[in-house]
Amino acid sequence: MKDMQDSKIFCISFFMNDIFLDSRKVKKNDYFISLRGNKDDGIYHLKEVIKKGGKLMYSDNFSYNYFPNLKEDLNKILIKHYKLEFKVKIIGITGTNKKTSVSYLLTKGLNRYGYKAKCISTIKGEDTYFSSLTTPRNDDLIRIIKKAEKENLDYLILEVSSIGYKEGRVNDIPFFLGVLTSLESDHLDYHKNIFNYHLSKIEFIEKCNNKVIGINKSKEEILRDVLSKCLKKEQINEFLLNLPQVPGREEIINLNPLIIVDYAHTSSALEYILSKYKKKCKGKLVTIIGAGGNRDKSKRKIYGDLVYKYSDISIITSDNPRNEDPKKIIDEIIEDRENVIKIIDREKAIIYGLSLLKENDTLLVLGKGNEEYIEINDKLLPFNDKKTVLKYLNIDLNSL
């Protein structure tokens, strides 16, 4: 059976049309691989694929081009089809916090000192391949690696989420280096418990021959450890003295009053930034935060506890409510606390928070960072915290 599967993969590799898991992306003569998901079965969209001139390659449905263990072997199929050689060194970064910051800064450091590097990121930029998912789905990821090979990159940096790992998105990809930034709590709605969540990250790191363990280390210490594999000591020291700003990560928008946009959406990241700026703040600390819908609900009370503990003024608002009632999410954060401001519309919440500021005050806009949308009822509506702040301050983004 295994030999037959390998033969099928080999035969298909002669064709260089694209392969898609999303039927909406299929074009004429492209291939479609149908998988059953949590909410949908790809085979339901086969008529749409055929109508557009696409072809079904494989499915996990016994009635249609069945391929055993399709999800597990998906990357094998894609790697052969796109003829990947893995000449680019791939660095995988996993962890509860600091993944994006380390990935972004590592890419900048490598490029500054003579290497060609890009990262796959939710942050848009000249050194990044943009992805709306932390770890792209299999077909998108393999195409990005192929593009990196064509561009003759030395390094490709990839954030490996716990969900991405469990869903097999990085199966059969050889990692030059694996980095574990932290082990805390997140995504319990998916993993069911913290043990399973931690296990997914540990399993990934154990599969990497070379590894950097950054638990209880700052992002600067982690960067030093990783860059030591690639750069000279004096280059590392110079880079760490002048680290560039990571968009949406403790990003300072205004100095006085101090206005900061940050992606903090775990309890540890939230407590870090709240406690840090509570100590620094000479005036009042104003915090704006929400919680994502259809996600780990246990976070909501913790968010409320932390914001109430550290903030002088707490404004609770929406943060990607998805298919949940945003008012219900906000109520679960606030519980029965008094002196908490509830504003469902995130833009209005930010504008109200800005209107309260006086000299020496601090405003923290937390939870979404550099995200360019807010997700409501299966729609991604354009929205960005930083742009909202700049618009209120009458500052042109292009002038920064």
Side-chain angles (χ1 to χ4, degrees):
M1 177 64 76
K2 185 64 177 167
D3 290 342
M4 185 175 72
Q5 285 178 227
D6 289 342
S7 176
K8 287 173 75 176
I9 296 171
F10 177 77
C11 290
I12 212 73
S13 70
F14 285 107
F15 303 95
M16 286 312 295
N17 307 79
D18 274 319
I19 301 174
F20 292 102
L21 303 178
D22 187 337
S23 61
R24 294 167 296 185
K25 296 180 180 179
V26 173
K27 306 179 297 297
K28 186 177 180 180
N29 295 324
D30 283 339
Y31 290 103
F32 174 57
I33 290 181
S34 170
L35 289 169
R36 283 170 291 185
N38 295 325
K39 297 180 180 178
D40 199 2
D41 188 331
I43 212 67
Y44 296 153
H45 304 281
L46 183 54
K47 285 184 179 179
E48 172 195 347
V49 168
I50 293 171
K51 187 176 180 180
K52 291 193 290 186
K55 306 169 187 176
L56 177 66
M57 180 181 280
Y58 302 125
S59 86
D60 53 4
N61 186 305
F62 285 104
S63 303
Y64 300 88
N65 293 9
Y66 177 67
F67 192 103
N69 303 314
L70 180 57
K71 197 167 186 178
E72 181 182 335
D73 287 338
L74 191 51
N75 278 358
K76 287 188 176 75
I77 296 168
L78 293 163
I79 288 166
K80 280 194 172 288
H81 180 84
Y82 286 102
K83 299 179 181 177
L84 293 193
E85 299 179 64
F86 293 109
K87 292 180 180 178
V88 59
K89 292 179 179 177
I90 302 174
I91 298 176
I93 301 177
T94 194
T96 309
N97 295 312
K98 298 184 280 226
K99 292 190 299 295
T100 300
S101 293
V102 171
S103 174
Y104 183 89
L105 293 170
L106 176 58
T107 305
K108 293 292 183 184
L110 290 169
N111 282 321
R112 184 177 294 182
Y113 296 100
Y115 290 104
K116 289 181 66 177
K118 286 189 177 182
C119 62
I120 301 172
S121 180
T122 55
I123 296 174
K124 294 179 179 178
E126 59 182 11
D127 296 337
T128 66
Y129 297 115
F130 176 75
S131 170
S132 58
L133 296 174
T134 302
T135 307
R137 292 200 167 90
N138 304 68
D139 55 335
D140 293 325
L141 177 56
I142 297 301
R143 273 191 292 275
I144 290 172
I145 297 173
K146 183 66 177 180
K147 190 173 184 180
E149 288 187 347
K150 287 183 177 178
E151 293 178 5
N152 295 313
L153 294 191
D154 298 303
Y155 291 97
L156 177 65
I157 294 90
L158 166 66
E159 294 178 51
V160 180
S161 68
S162 59
I163 296 173
Y165 173 78
K166 289 300 291 183
E167 293 189 346
R169 296 179 201 170
V170 296
N171 285 359
D172 301 294
I173 292 175
F175 284 88
F176 164 73
L177 177 68
V179 182
L180 177 61
T181 59
S182 64
L183 268 185
E184 292 154 57
S185 178
D186 202 7
H187 301 303
L188 300 190
D189 54 311
Y190 179 91
H191 295 284
K192 306 306 178 189
N193 58 64
I194 198 167
F195 175 81
N196 291 336
Y197 170 64
H198 285 181
L199 185 62
S200 67
K201 295 188 176 297
I202 293 167
E203 283 181 354
F204 166 71
I205 286 296
E206 286 181 342
K207 289 181 179 180
C208 300
N209 291 328
N210 303 304
K211 49 186 72 75
V212 167
I213 307 299
I215 297 174
N216 298 324
K217 293 183 179 180
S218 67
K219 69 173 183 285
E220 290 81 6
E221 291 170 321
I222 297 170
L223 276 168
R224 183 180 292 279
D225 290 345
V226 177
L227 287 170
S228 68
K229 312 288 184 183
C230 317
L231 301 180
K232 296 177 182 178
K233 186 176 180 180
E234 55 269 25
Q235 292 174 325
I236 298 170
N237 290 338
E238 181 185 57
F239 179 65
L240 291 177
L241 284 173
N242 300 283
L243 286 177
Q245 171 67 57
V246 182
R249 269 63 178 178
E250 209 170 332
E251 184 173 7
I252 297 174
I253 312 300
N254 195 70
L255 285 173
N256 195 0
L258 182 62
I259 303 170
I260 292 173
V261 169
D262 188 77
Y263 188 60
H265 66 289
T266 65
S267 56
S268 56
L270 187 59
E271 181 153 32
Y272 163 79
I273 197 163
L274 284 167
S275 61
K276 177 177 179 177
Y277 287 96
K278 180 63 175 176
K279 291 173 185 174
K280 288 188 172 189
C281 185
K282 295 178 181 177
K284 61 181 179 293
L285 177 64
V286 182
T287 302
I288 298 172
I289 195 168
N294 305 115
R295 296 293 186 268
D296 183 2
K297 294 183 180 182
S298 66
K299 288 182 177 184
R300 296 172 189 177
K301 181 183 183 304
I302 299 170
Y303 285 5
D305 290 343
L306 290 170
V307 172
Y308 198 72
K309 174 182 176 182
Y310 290 105
S311 306
D312 297 297
I313 299 175
S314 304
I315 302 173
I316 311 301
T317 187
S318 297
D319 177 346
N320 296 333
R322 299 183 177 88
N323 301 108
E324 281 195 69
D325 179 358
K327 183 181 181 300
K328 178 175 176 290
I329 298 172
I330 291 169
D331 287 342
E332 288 179 3
I333 296 171
I334 294 174
E335 293 188 310
D336 57 354
R337 294 184 180 88
E338 298 179 353
N339 302 320
V340 177
I341 299 164
K342 178 168 60 175
I343 304 176
I344 293 175
D345 185 295
R346 191 173 179 91
E347 181 175 7
K348 290 179 180 177
I350 292 173
I351 291 170
Y352 181 72
L354 289 164
S355 73
L356 300 176
L357 298 180
K358 296 179 180 178
E359 189 175 356
N360 295 323
D361 288 346
T362 296
L363 173 65
L364 300 177
V365 185
L366 305 178
K368 288 181 64 61
N370 61 294
E371 287 183 353
E372 296 282 350
Y373 62 85
I374 186 164
E375 186 176 352
I376 302 174
N377 294 325
D378 297 321
K379 292 182 179 179
L380 299 181
L381 306 177
F383 185 84
N384 179 266
D385 285 350
K386 178 179 177 179
K387 290 177 183 177
T388 303
V389 172
L390 292 176
K391 182 180 177 182
Y392 179 88
L393 298 177
N394 199 25
I395 298 174
D396 183 2
L397 182 62
N398 295 321
S399 68
L400 297 178

